[in-house]
Amino acid sequence: MRRCFAIVLPVLSLLYLTGCSTNGTGTMKPGLQSSDQAAIQGLIDTAPEFAISFDDDGEISAAAGAPAVLSGAQSAQTDSTAITAVHWGRWRIPPHHPPVRTVTFIIPPDSDSAFVKVNVKFDGFFLVDLTDDGIRNPGRKPLQDQKTRYALYKKIWFHPDSTSDDSVFGWRLAAVSPIDFEMIDPSRQTVTIHSVTLTGERTHVTITDPSALLSLGRGNGLLPLFREGETVRVEAAVTNTDHGYTPPTFVYLHAPIAEHAFPGPNDWIRVFMYDDGTHGDVTAGDGTFTAEWTVKNFRWHHIAIDVLNSRCLQNQTNDDYNSTTWAIPYEAYPSFLPIVANH
């Protein structure tokens, strides 16, 4: 009989899994769409590409269970000049607030491919500490956002004759989109990312649609490719319809500093992005925020452009969280290899 396998090889994102029944240990009859969907669902459940949440709590989530003690320090900004918080972060999956994931098969696995949409809704907290008192005692405000990623899976055969009764096949992740974080209630979101441009020594990539697929194999539209040690300029075109504070928007770049399949809060750095004509920014005040970042040899990873309405950082407790993020996958190769142009 034909058997379906699915395992995870994190570097190449070649995914197989032992068995394709719903319990992960059975065999399947060819052509049963439900079994194929179960196999792909199993891959999504265990793949690091779908576990990224940027739960970047800045080491302050442990203190967020108790009310903030203001100890005479500043607890809210009192004029229209926006300030950056001493500490801030997201606690997207606190206890008793499980995320809700939905997998939609836009193109079901009828033949040799499947196109899926993976959406995860979070009911967590946004943590803000405005008190420069040496104590991590943030206030917390409701955070209800969602992330969406699209993926293309391809069926691969491990037997020369795909029509043979004893042939073996599995599903491979062939392409993924960036991850798009948005507010669940769009009426609460005033910030928008219009494009992200990555410029390295041999790579110049502009992304205008976070649902567009980036290939993990060969052909057009491959992942951005960078060399270990090179400096990459990241530019994000951003708008905000809320102009209550100056500046109205704060933008940050998240970049990896440790090579873990499932990165945690301490595995990222947060880099402030500028729109003032400095730090690599070309034109001040044009809505394009810029940061420069040095690539590490992390093979296949993500960077993220994180946009916040500055209003939500001016107090510790108001229900005013307002943000969007694009997390973009990329590939890096060691510096001792010859310089390679991006695909």
Side-chain angles (χ1 to χ4, degrees), residues 5-287:
F5 290 87
I7 22 188
V8 179
L9 300 178
V11 174
L12 299 178
S13 296
L14 290 176
L15 308 174
Y16 313 67
L17 170 78
T18 312
C20 281
S21 62
T22 54
N23 62 11
T25 58
T27 59
M28 62 168 282
K29 297 180 181 179
L32 285 183
Q33 186 183 104
S34 60
S35 296
D36 283 330
Q37 289 185 356
I40 294 171
Q41 177 75 59
L43 298 177
I44 293 171
D45 289 344
T46 57
E49 293 84 1
F50 298 98
I52 293 172
S53 67
F54 290 96
D55 205 14
D56 50 359
D57 58 21
E59 300 180 339
I60 59 177
S61 63
V69 179
L70 303 181
S71 61
Q74 183 175 11
S75 61
Q77 177 65 339
T78 57
D79 59 36
S80 61
T81 301
I83 60 173
T84 56
V86 176
H87 300 289
W88 63 269
R90 297 175 178 88
W91 199 7
R92 280 197 165 100
I93 312 177
H96 313 299
H97 292 247
V100 178
R101 181 169 59 193
T102 303
V103 178
T104 302
F105 283 81
I106 299 173
I107 300 177
D110 290 322
S111 56
D112 64 347
S113 63
F115 182 46
V116 300
K117 173 184 176 181
V118 182
N119 175 267
V120 181
K121 290 181 168 59
F122 299 98
D123 180 20
F125 299 106
F126 186 60
L127 310 175
V128 180
D129 189 352
L130 295 174
T131 59
D132 191 8
D133 55 4
I135 303 172
R136 299 289 181 92
N137 52 354
R140 67 185 188 186
K141 52 185 69 180
L143 179 157
Q144 294 180 328
D145 66 359
Q146 60 186 334
K147 68 175 182 179
T148 302
R149 167 164 253 177
Y150 295 85
L152 177 67
Y153 284 88
K154 291 283 190 179
K155 181 180 288 187
I156 52 174
W157 293 91
F158 302 100
H159 190 284
D161 179 10
S162 63
T163 64
S164 172
D165 288 340
D166 63 352
S167 60
V168 179
F169 67 88
W171 290 95
R172 177 176 64 88
L173 183 60
V176 293
S177 72
I179 308 171
D180 183 17
F181 289 82
E182 302 280 347
M183 303 291 290
I184 292 176
D185 181 357
S187 68
R188 298 176 64 91
Q189 181 176 319
T190 64
V191 289
T192 303
I193 301 173
H194 298 279
S195 67
V196 174
T197 298
L198 309 177
T199 304
E201 295 174 353
R202 292 288 191 276
T203 297
H204 183 80
V205 176
T206 296
I207 295 173
T208 58
D209 180 2
S211 67
L213 292 178
L214 299 170
S215 175
L216 304 178
R218 298 181 178 180
N220 297 323
L222 297 186
L223 296 182
L225 179 65
F226 302 109
R227 183 178 59 84
E228 176 191 15
E230 74 171 286
T231 298
V232 177
R233 187 171 72 248
V234 182
E235 298 167 291
V238 171
T239 57
N240 186 357
T241 59
D242 180 2
H243 298 280
Y245 285 88
T246 303
T249 311
F250 289 126
V251 184
Y252 295 85
L253 172 69
H254 300 263
I257 57 173
E259 188 169 2
H260 295 138
F262 296 89
N266 297 320
D267 296 330
W268 306 89
I269 57 170
R270 185 190 292 164
V271 181
F272 191 81
M273 299 184 71
Y274 292 86
D275 184 22
D276 62 356
T278 68
H279 299 82
D281 184 58
V282 176
T283 304
D286 64 349

Side-chain angles (χ1 to χ4, degrees), residues 280-299:
D281 184 58
V282 176
T283 304
D286 64 349
T288 297
F289 291 76
T290 305
E292 294 183 339
W293 152 66
T294 301
V295 179
K296 303 293 184 180
N297 181 25
F298 292 132
R299 302 178 184 174

Side-chain angles (χ1 to χ4, degrees), residues 54 73 85 204 244 300 313 320 325 331 337:
F54 290 96
H204 183 80
W300 202 93
L313 291 172
D320 55 9
T325 300
E331 188 175 4
L337 294 177

